[in-house]
Amino acid sequence: MPFTAVPDRSAGYAVQLADWNYLKDNFNSGVWTKYASSLVSSPTTITFSSIPSTHSHLMIVAYVRGDTAATNTEFVLRYNGDTGSNYDSDRVYSNGGTRTHSMFLALSSQGVGIMPAGTATAGLFATIAVILPNYASTTAQKTMVHRFASKINTSANGMWVGVGGGGWRSTAAINQIEMRGNVGPNLAVGSHLSLYLMA
Amino acid sequence: MGFTTVPTKIAGDVWTEAMWDTHVKDNFNTGTVVKIESVTLTVAAATITFAAIPQSWTHLYLVGFTRGDSAVAANQVLGNFNADTAANYDYQYLLGNAAAGNQGEFFAANQFQLANQPAGTAGANLFCSFDAEIGYYSGAANQKSVLSRWSNKVGTSSGNIEVGELGGHWRSSAAITSLTLKTNSGNFVAGSYVALYGRS
């Protein structure tokens, strides 16, 4: 149900059941809401479970860094605990003065952006945004779009920015998302991840 | 705290403090996405500033619809956090224009770039659209990063439309309390509109 404009009331008006329904219906199915967020306080992967199939789309906003001993690693997603070779992704990105297009097929997780990791300059985190349209469908394979901005130091070629898409070879409704490093796989302390339900 | 589903009530139910706190107060304050402030320019202005940004949200989201007035076809939308105009910003861009791509990096700049926008000699009534995610803006332990994208049209000839992505980075771990937008030359024109949202 889309958002319904809330009507004006006059002074002295006694709140009715219908007024509560404006609140209920608009909050539950008319606006974006936060399903969960997590601030990493010790290195770990993050999983948001029991995602309801009540909304149209999902959005992830992540401020992340990996803790593996490398300058960077890929921030990846897994849906519904699927570790099979069922993920594809495609991306165009720039790093310094170089522009690259890459495609990955049949991977065991969904890459959604490059993030700094353990040997990057301290205090650096990537910002990554992912949208998963029609995540609750049980008839269509899932697709996603992602964007990322990442920095590992202040030397030449120390930054990336990119945009891409991808898919999960499954028609199951997404009810769980694991977020992790492709290598490691833990996320570093200070990473902050949020999952939103889009009405 | 995430959003709490609002339950059905029946005729005769009475509003309680708990209902208000859980389903109205907490959902608005910590369960959804809200507009913090928006600015529509009625006269040209050199800057647009969001000051005293509340620290109660997780991430910030910015949407802009702008145009500059300097006598060029296009110029840049730039930003500073917390009025810091020292050489503390780094950014990387990626863009497509007609059939060509371009990319590049800047270190130790005095601001970060958010977008390109049409300016004084662009076609009349053309404005750019851009948005930006600012991750964990209220954190005080780590440096900040910004992810923006834009679409810009300055005319109807080949090469007059571009789309791009920018990754900006501020060399500061301070919580972001203000954001100032400016151009690299001239003003934003009247009709420019920018809105800042808080993502719980």
Side-chain angles (χ1 to χ4, degrees), chain A residues 8-165:
Chain A
D8 187 34
R9 299 300 188 202
S10 303
Y13 173 82
V15 175
Q16 307 291 313
L17 176 63
D19 298 305
W20 177 266
N21 289 338
Y22 281 113
L23 181 72
K24 176 176 73 73
D25 293 340
N26 280 336
F27 260 139
N28 292 351
S29 61
V31 299
W32 295 24
T33 58
K34 181 175 75 176
Y35 179 67
S37 68
S38 182
L39 175 60
V40 174
S41 57
S42 62
T44 187
T45 63
I46 297 294
T47 300
F48 294 140
S49 301
S50 303
I51 300 168
S53 294
T54 49
H55 286 66
S56 300
H57 317 296
L58 298 176
M59 182 172 192
I60 297 167
V61 178
Y63 173 83
V64 284
R65 175 184 175 111
D67 80 341
T68 191
T71 57
N72 66 90
T73 189
E74 182 79 8
F75 178 58
V76 301
L77 309 178
R78 278 186 177 142
Y79 313 123
N80 297 9
D82 181 5
T83 59
S85 301
N86 294 321
Y87 301 89
D88 310 309
S89 64
D90 201 354
R91 172 181 303 162
V92 60
Y93 63 95
S94 70
N95 171 232
T98 302
R99 184 177 69 257
T100 303
H101 172 223
S102 61
M103 183 169 67
F104 303 98
L105 299 174
L107 297 184
S108 60
S109 59
Q110 181 97 84
V112 293
I114 297 165
M115 61 179 172
T119 62
T121 300
L124 296 179
F125 285 71
T127 292
I128 298 175
V130 185
I131 293 180
L132 291 151
N134 202 21
Y135 73 101
S137 169
T138 56
T139 58
Q141 293 193 23
K142 303 305 174 292
T143 61
M144 64 86 190
V145 291
H146 68 271
R147 304 186 291 135
F148 64 95
S150 183
K151 172 184 165 185
I152 59 170
N153 56 42
T154 54
S155 300
N157 304 318
M159 295 182 287
W160 290 263
V161 66
V163 58

Side-chain angles (χ1 to χ4, degrees), chain B residues 5-121:
Chain B
T5 301
V6 180
T8 298
K9 296 295 180 186
I10 60 174
D13 281 349
V14 176
W15 277 68
T16 65
E17 180 188 2
M19 289 163 59
W20 175 266
D21 287 350
T22 300
H23 302 299
V24 180
K25 177 176 74 71
D26 292 344
N27 276 342
F28 270 128
N29 292 349
T30 63
T32 188
V33 180
V34 303
K35 183 168 74 174
I36 295 173
E37 185 180 359
S38 64
V39 175
T40 302
L41 294 181
T42 56
V43 296
T47 61
I48 297 171
T49 297
F50 297 100
I53 298 171
Q55 300 296 297
S56 50
W57 308 95
T58 304
H59 313 290
L60 296 176
Y61 180 58
L62 182 75
V63 178
F65 177 83
T66 62
R67 176 186 174 111
D69 69 357
S70 67
V72 292
N75 65 2
Q76 300 171 345
V77 181
L78 306 170
N80 291 104
F81 293 124
N82 295 11
D84 178 7
T85 57
N88 290 324
Y89 302 89
D90 311 306
Y91 56 96
Q92 171 87 36
Y93 72 90
L94 168 69
L95 67 82
N97 182 299
N102 199 356
Q103 61 286 319
E105 62 184 0
F106 295 90
F107 291 101
N110 298 98
Q111 63 279 312
F112 62 97
Q113 186 179 353
L114 282 159
N116 287 336
Q117 66 181 357
T121 65

